[in-house]
Amino acid sequence: MKFEIGDKIIVLHSNEEGEVVDIINDKMVMVDVRGVKFPAYTDQIDFPYFKRFSEKKIVQPKSGKKYIDEVKKEKAEKIQRVEDGVWLTFLPVTETDEFGDEVVRELKLHLDNRTARAYRFTYRLLFFGKSEFELNNTVLAFSNFYLHDIPFEDLSDNPSFSFEFSLPEADKTKAPYFEAVFKIKARQLFARIEEIREKNEATFSHRLFETYPDKHIDELEAIGSLAGGTVRAFSAKEVKQGMEPPRSVIDLHIEKVTDDWKHLSNFEMLTMQLSTFEKYLELAIAHMLPSLVVIHGVGTGKLRDEIHELLKYRKEVKTFVNQYDPRFGYGATEIFFQY
């Protein structure tokens, strides 16, 4: 390998200097240029020493005359950053097998923020609806955040990459959170990898969202007979366009549902909890989420039983289970949908 971690380099196409921060394989390294990390092929970078040595130094002659190659060059124009959303980026890491063929060993996942805002996020990797990896952090504006590595063989299990975004500082004009889920099948993944090989590219990406959504007026408060008002019917299209984003996990503990709960009776609290559950159930179905986790707590079991009774009559519900989970104990039910 020509380069080692810590080597100073120059990116040939942009003339920017940086540093090698990771060795991906014998053809590719991860570089850091002014705080932005990205993969680069070794033939796209070089050591900066030759550039520095070969640059002509301006020497002012005594006569005061200036020659053509001594004229000061104009400053390079600043590169305009284009805002085009937040992306999930996959970097295949390859190795050579015993037959001399190049095979993919694993994929490195990065969250690529190409907007002028920072976002808090919760990331979950799910297999068959079960969370296998979870991470909470913040991705800064115009920056790249490394998530984790996934062994290539695990991607044949049709994983789901789930994100919940929120703003570090509250903005009354923006949604309190936004969820994005990306699923990719094994054959689609193979096709994407072959495509970037043909184009001699290092990564492929999926856009999670282009702009963070504005806040919407909640019109689902009257859904269901338990809401206590006039029942309104909503189509899936109306829900998607006019309602807030769905959630893959909802917490129905009363202090999470409302701040003003201490004066409520048990019946009123139960009614409010069920109304909230129905609202997010409708949103999950409208957005065709693969699953939904409902945290209802243990308590007397009344809220859990009411939820299970409602789920029995929904054709979109394939199955639901209330089993021990290290995150919630027995206080949550996981719902799996069919469309």
Side-chain angles (χ1 to χ4, degrees):
M1 167 59 72
K2 179 179 177 181
F3 300 96
E4 296 180 357
I5 294 176
D7 284 346
K8 303 297 181 183
I9 57 91
I10 185 169
V11 182
L12 296 178
H13 76 274
S14 64
N15 221 28
E16 295 179 296
E17 293 191 17
E19 181 181 344
V20 176
V21 295
D22 193 13
I23 306 297
I24 298 171
N25 54 40
D26 57 349
K27 296 180 181 179
M28 191 179 299
V29 296
M30 184 72 70
V31 299
D32 185 320
V33 176
R34 293 182 297 176
V36 178
K37 297 183 179 70
F38 57 90
Y41 284 102
T42 54
D43 60 0
Q44 296 174 341
I45 60 176
D46 204 348
F47 294 108
Y49 315 119
F50 176 76
K51 170 181 175 287
R52 293 173 184 170
F53 178 78
S54 61
E55 284 179 338
K56 292 186 178 181
K57 295 181 179 179
I58 299 175
V59 179
Q60 187 70 31
K62 292 181 180 179
S63 62
K65 294 180 179 179
K66 289 185 178 180
Y67 298 92
I68 289 296
D69 59 354
E70 294 172 357
V71 177
K72 196 172 183 179
K73 295 181 180 179
E74 294 182 2
K75 290 183 179 179
E77 293 183 3
K78 291 184 178 179
I79 299 174
Q80 294 293 327
R81 288 176 168 175
V82 177
E83 293 192 57
D84 64 353
V86 175
W87 300 70
L88 176 61
T89 298
F90 297 82
L91 169 63
V93 179
T94 60
E95 63 182 4
T96 304
D97 64 12
E98 62 271 23
F99 302 106
D101 296 325
E102 192 177 76
V103 296
V104 178
R105 184 180 78 245
E106 63 187 12
L107 274 77
K108 292 181 178 291
L109 270 65
H110 291 257
L111 189 61
D112 191 7
N113 182 8
R114 306 178 197 169
T115 76
R117 279 183 180 267
Y119 304 100
R120 287 200 186 110
F121 68 88
T122 297
Y123 162 68
R124 297 182 184 89
L125 171 66
L126 301 103
F127 291 101
F128 305 108
K130 296 292 183 183
S131 179
E132 297 291 331
F133 179 85
E134 184 170 328
L135 176 66
N136 297 279
N137 217 303
T138 299
V139 59
L140 301 177
F142 292 110
S143 67
N144 184 289
F145 190 98
Y146 167 72
L147 297 171
H148 66 136
D149 297 345
I150 301 181
F152 186 66
E153 59 268 19
D154 289 354
L155 293 164
S156 61
D157 292 331
N158 298 339
S160 295
F161 306 94
S162 174
F163 291 86
E164 181 176 311
F165 295 96
S166 61
L167 300 178
E169 296 182 2
D171 185 338
K172 293 181 179 180
T173 66
K174 295 295 180 181
Y177 61 88
F178 176 76
E179 285 199 15
V181 179
F182 175 58
K183 297 179 69 176
I184 187 168
K185 295 181 179 179
R187 57 184 179 81
Q188 295 172 325
L189 177 66
F190 299 149
R192 296 296 296 272
I193 292 175
E194 286 303 314
E195 181 181 347
I196 63 173
R197 279 178 174 172
E198 293 175 2
K199 295 180 178 179
N200 198 30
E201 296 174 343
T203 64
F204 66 91
S205 301
H206 171 78
R207 182 156 57 192
L208 298 170
F209 66 87
E210 186 170 359
T211 56
Y212 190 82
D214 294 330
K215 188 174 183 179
H216 294 290
I217 298 173
D218 183 7
E219 295 181 11
L220 274 177
E221 57 190 16
I223 284 185
S225 58
L226 290 166
T230 303
V231 178
R232 293 184 61 189
F234 292 87
S235 69
K237 183 178 180 181
E238 288 174 327
V239 172
K240 282 187 177 182
Q241 291 179 348
M243 301 301 126
E244 61 184 273
R247 305 198 72 163
S248 57
V249 179
I250 58 170
D251 192 339
L252 295 180
H253 284 94
I254 192 62
E255 64 272 16
K256 299 291 185 180
V257 175
T258 178
D259 294 329
D260 188 22
W261 58 272
K262 293 183 180 180
H263 70 284
L264 298 176
S265 67
N266 289 338
F267 175 76
E268 289 172 327
M269 286 190 286
L270 178 63
T271 300
M272 187 172 289
Q273 289 170 313
L274 289 172
S275 177
T276 302
F277 163 69
E278 287 189 289
K279 162 187 166 179
Y280 285 104
L281 177 66
E282 296 294 340
L283 283 168
I285 293 171
H287 287 264
M288 301 186 73
L289 293 189
S291 62
L292 174 66
V293 175
V294 182
I295 304 171
H296 44 62
V298 180
T300 63
K302 178 64 174 176
L303 178 59
R304 178 202 61 203
D305 293 344
E306 291 285 349
I307 289 171
H308 289 186
E309 190 65 24
L310 288 169
L311 292 174
K312 291 177 183 178
Y313 301 99
R314 294 306 298 260
K315 64 180 180 181
E316 301 89 353
V317 175
K318 182 178 181 181
T319 184
F320 58 91
V321 60
N322 174 220
Q323 61 185 11
Y324 179 79
D325 186 292
R327 297 171 294 172
F328 318 116
Y330 288 98
T333 293
E334 187 162 15
I335 308 162
F336 299 94
F337 298 106
Q338 59 185 1
Y339 302 105

